[in-house]
Amino acid sequence: MEIVVALVFSAAVLFGADRLMLWLESRGHVNWRRKGRRRLSEEPTAELESMLSDHARR
């Protein structure tokens, strides 16, 4: 019986965490399930990364 209670509790915690993440996603804080991954090629590069890539081209 303890195992059943532990499994139900675990399922409830996971469901609650999923709903929390979906709520945060709707507010624009995180990307969780509905928006998908961002393409890294479209993201702005960091200053150090751009300095290193410019140095490699020369």
Side-chain angles (χ1 to χ4, degrees):
M1 185 67 181
E2 295 171 4
I3 294 174
V4 174
V5 171
L7 288 174
V8 169
F9 180 74
S10 299
V13 168
L14 289 175
F15 180 76
D18 181 56
R19 298 307 302 173
L20 174 66
M21 293 299 287
L22 286 174
W23 179 75
L24 287 172
E25 183 182 42
S26 71
R27 311 229 346 135
H29 297 294
V30 295
N31 286 338
W32 180 242
R33 281 195 296 159
R34 306 221 170 140
K35 300 215 173 156
R37 293 180 166 230
R38 292 182 281 182
R39 295 185 182 258
L40 293 179
S41 61
E42 296 173 0
E43 292 297 314
T45 58
E47 185 175 342
L48 178 61
E49 184 180 346
S50 63
M51 286 176 20
L52 292 174
S53 64
D54 288 343
H55 182 67
R57 290 181 197 157
R58 292 181 188 170

